Amino acid sequence: MSRLTLAQANTIIAAALERGAEIGLKPLSVAVLDPGGHLIAFQRQDGASTLRPEIATAKAAGALGLGVSSRTIGEMAADRPSFIGSLGPISPKGVLPAAGGVIIVDGEGLPIGAVGITGDTSDNDEDCALAGIAAAGLTPQE
Amino acid sequence: MSRLTLAQANTIIAAALERGAEIGLKPLSVAVLDPGGHLIAFQRQDGASTLRPEIATAKAAGALGLGVSSRTIGEMAADRPSFIGSLGPISPKGVLPAAGGVIIVDGEGLPIGAVGITGDTSDNDEDCALAGIAAAGLTPQE
Amino acid sequence: MSRLTLAQANTIIAAALERGAEIGLKPLSVAVLDPGGHLIAFQRQDGASTLRPEIATAKAAGALGLGVSSRTIGEMAADRPSFIGSLGPISPKGVLPAAGGVIIVDGEGLPIGAVGITGDTSDNDEDCALAGIAAAGLTPQE
Amino acid sequence: MSRLTLAQANTIIAAALERGAEIGLKPLSVAVLDPGGHLIAFQRQDGASTLRPEIATAKAAGALGLGVSSRTIGEMAADRPSFIGSLGPISPKGVLPAAGGVIIVDGEGLPIGAVGITGDTSDNDEDCALAGIAAAGLTPQE
């Protein structure tokens, strides 16, 4: 298994949005990327603002670009804001330092894609990303 | 009605992919944008290459940007290649001069979104876009 | 096997440069990318001009982006110049319509990377790319 | 001597990677640029994430761009974050404020190229850059 299928990506998105509805979150936007950072599937709920596709994508793309979750990138940014800030201009899809971007790995720990969610608090965004990954029977990078 | 809902966008994509399967097309990528050119939903079928998200989006975004289908933009490009070529760098999501990008209008003829499809011939891509729009009970711009 | 290793990439480059020396070509630049379009290894021979890294990369990245060799993209550009021209602004690493960019596939025909070469005629550039791929015991996409 | 040769660049990379293996670092990515900031050679070790080519290049390119090491740029960023942050968007390959980017000078102190390394802590990245430069019999800018 080297990359997520479209069916898996759709399952992740449906489950993430279901989780968001269940816990009463604001409108969410969910991007699922292949391991090279290219979009497989995306959905933006009604009422979500216009930059959400780029934010959701940047959470996932930044995670794949650096090899860690966007939560960890957020922690790095707290310590070294200029370092993380310098990555935006050199990353085609940006690097977003806030939770909600999670790498998905195969049995050997290699990336097979990533999910990025935005719309509510970043903790809630990440909660939905993890719910989506679990619903698809897949494994987030630890 | 000022923009497509996510439910409508998902219906368009599902019907477009069903149409592609029915007539035996190559793997398709389908983007649905709101009237401001911002992504509502996207799906890329397994086997489609990595630039397809950008191409599908550029077909729809270019159509909205100029107010005509990407088929018409292709005809404009045949007559005035430098003019159409000059738009790419100033359009955040590009302008793609080939059929497959179709504006969706409301009862007064105002844009409520657009569909962009890539993967097979541009005629077939457009055929699937129109099938998707019809399946959602919506109207393409004439 | 889901992507080329660094050892394979280095073998491809060494063999491509050896082939260039053997048939007396001008200084070459060789890029090897992973299937997501990200650089694994690159070498630019002494005397090659400054934009060569970007050209070699764009040959390989464009091939992966569209799923065909940069030779085929060159043929598409002859028929539909505005279409191919429109892809540059939406492709982070460009799309270069000239031979020398070749996708490498695994046993199932799925991309595991790509090579891009520039410096001599595009036919000679491609000849060296194929020599490099063969030397590494790998298979170019047909 | 006005710029590094490809042979020197390859020696630098091989020695830097050897140093990384010797002290047990994470997978490294090493870029060697000519004094104009254009890539001569690059290698990314297996397991390194996808944005590493851009980060390694930005460390070296930013150093050449400002005429000081990326370590010094990091110190400047601590004092004047907005100034350094403003350079990213106007530098084609970015400016990265963290150690690991080192200028290489000739006998008169003029730049003949630069090395940029990323993958481990920035101190370790720089350690490997200096080891690579020493192995090639060259001199880092003080």
Side-chain angles (χ1 to χ4, degrees):
Chain A
M1 179 163 54
S2 66
R3 57 156 272 193
L4 297 173
T5 64
L6 173 58
Q8 288 173 315
N10 284 335
T11 298
I12 291 168
I13 294 176
L17 295 180
E18 192 175 348
R19 173 69 179 156
E22 188 183 302
I23 59 177
L25 302 188
K26 293 182 189 166
L28 299 180
S29 299
V30 187
V32 180
L33 276 58
D34 73 21
H38 305 285
L39 203 58
I40 298 175
F42 174 80
Q43 291 187 40
R44 174 164 57 112
Q45 291 193 297
D46 301 338
S49 59
T50 53
L51 195 62
R52 296 297 168 178
E54 285 74 19
I55 297 174
T57 299
K59 283 190 181 182
L64 289 163
L66 295 184
V68 296
S69 71
S70 68
R71 171 182 292 281
T72 298
I73 297 173
E75 293 163 359
M76 293 164 73
D79 283 342
R80 306 166 69 198
S82 291
F83 173 70
I84 294 300
S86 74
L87 301 179
I90 59 172
S91 173
K93 290 170 184 166
V95 169
L96 208 140
V102 180
I103 296 174
I104 302 170
V105 293
D106 65 12
E108 298 173 2
L110 298 174
I112 57 171
V115 185
I117 302 188
T118 181
D120 206 273
T121 66
S122 57
D123 282 348
N124 284 337
D125 294 341
E126 187 187 56
D127 178 277
C128 294
L130 294 171
I133 294 168
L138 295 167
T139 308
Q141 187 188 57
E142 291 200 2
Chain B
M1 177 163 55
S2 65
R3 57 157 271 194
L4 297 172
T5 63
L6 173 58
Q8 288 173 316
N10 284 336
T11 298
I12 291 168
I13 294 176
L17 295 181
E18 193 175 348
R19 173 71 179 154
E22 190 183 300
I23 58 177
L25 303 188
K26 293 182 189 166
L28 298 180
S29 299
V30 187
V32 180
L33 276 58
D34 73 21
H38 305 285
L39 202 59
I40 299 175
F42 173 81
Q43 292 186 40
R44 174 164 57 114
Q45 291 192 299
D46 300 338
S49 60
T50 53
L51 195 62
R52 299 296 167 179
E54 284 74 19
I55 296 174
T57 300
K59 284 191 180 181
L64 288 163
L66 296 184
V68 296
S69 70
S70 67
R71 170 181 294 281
T72 298
I73 297 174
E75 293 163 0
M76 294 164 72
D79 284 343
R80 306 165 69 197
S82 292
F83 173 69
I84 295 300
S86 74
L87 302 178
I90 59 174
S91 171
K93 289 167 186 168
V95 169
L96 209 140
V102 181
I103 295 175
I104 302 170
V105 294
D106 66 12
E108 298 173 1
L110 296 174
I112 57 171
V115 185
I117 302 189
T118 182
D120 206 273
T121 66
S122 57
D123 284 347
N124 283 337
D125 294 341
E126 187 186 57
D127 178 278
C128 293
L130 294 171
I133 295 168
L138 296 166
T139 307
Q141 186 188 57
E142 292 201 1
Chain C
M1 179 163 55
S2 66
R3 57 156 272 194
L4 297 172
T5 62
L6 173 57
Q8 288 173 316
N10 284 336
T11 298
I12 291 169
I13 294 177
L17 295 180
E18 193 176 349
R19 173 72 179 154
E22 187 183 302
I23 58 176
L25 303 188
K26 293 182 190 166
L28 298 180
S29 299
V30 187
V32 179
L33 276 58
D34 73 22
H38 306 284
L39 203 60
I40 299 174
F42 174 80
Q43 292 187 40
R44 174 164 56 112
Q45 291 192 300
D46 300 340
S49 59
T50 54
L51 195 61
R52 299 294 167 178
E54 285 73 19
I55 296 174
T57 300
K59 284 190 179 181
L64 288 164
L66 296 184
V68 295
S69 71
S70 68
R71 171 180 293 280
T72 298
I73 297 173
E75 293 163 358
M76 294 164 71
D79 283 342
R80 307 165 69 198
S82 290
F83 172 70
I84 295 300
S86 75
L87 301 179
I90 60 172
S91 173
K93 290 170 186 167
V95 169
L96 208 140
V102 180
I103 296 174
I104 303 169
V105 293
D106 66 13
E108 297 173 2
L110 297 174
I112 58 170
V115 185
I117 302 188
T118 182
D120 205 275
T121 67
S122 58
D123 282 349
N124 283 337
D125 294 341
E126 188 187 55
D127 177 277
C128 294
L130 293 171
I133 294 169
L138 296 167
T139 307
Q141 186 188 58
E142 293 199 1
Chain D
M1 179 162 56
S2 66
R3 56 157 272 195
L4 297 172
T5 63
L6 173 57
Q8 288 174 315
N10 283 336
T11 297
I12 292 168
I13 294 177
L17 295 180
E18 193 175 349
R19 172 71 180 155
E22 188 182 302
I23 58 177
L25 302 189
K26 293 184 190 164
L28 298 181
S29 299
V30 187
V32 180
L33 276 57
D34 72 21
H38 305 285
L39 203 58
I40 299 175
F42 173 80
Q43 292 187 40
R44 174 164 57 113
Q45 292 192 297
D46 300 338
S49 60
T50 53
L51 194 62
R52 298 296 167 179
E54 285 73 19
I55 296 174
T57 300
K59 284 190 180 182
L64 288 163
L66 296 183
V68 295
S69 71
S70 67
R71 171 182 294 280
T72 299
I73 298 174
E75 292 163 0
M76 293 163 72
D79 283 343
R80 307 165 69 198
S82 293
F83 173 69
I84 294 299
S86 74
L87 301 179
I90 60 174
S91 171
K93 291 169 185 167
V95 169
L96 210 141
V102 181
I103 296 175
I104 302 169
V105 293
D106 66 12
E108 297 172 3
L110 296 174
I112 56 170
V115 185
I117 302 188
T118 182
D120 206 273
T121 66
S122 56
D123 283 347
N124 283 337
D125 295 341
E126 188 186 57
D127 178 277
C128 294
L130 294 171
I133 294 169
L138 296 167
T139 308
Q141 186 188 58
E142 293 202 0

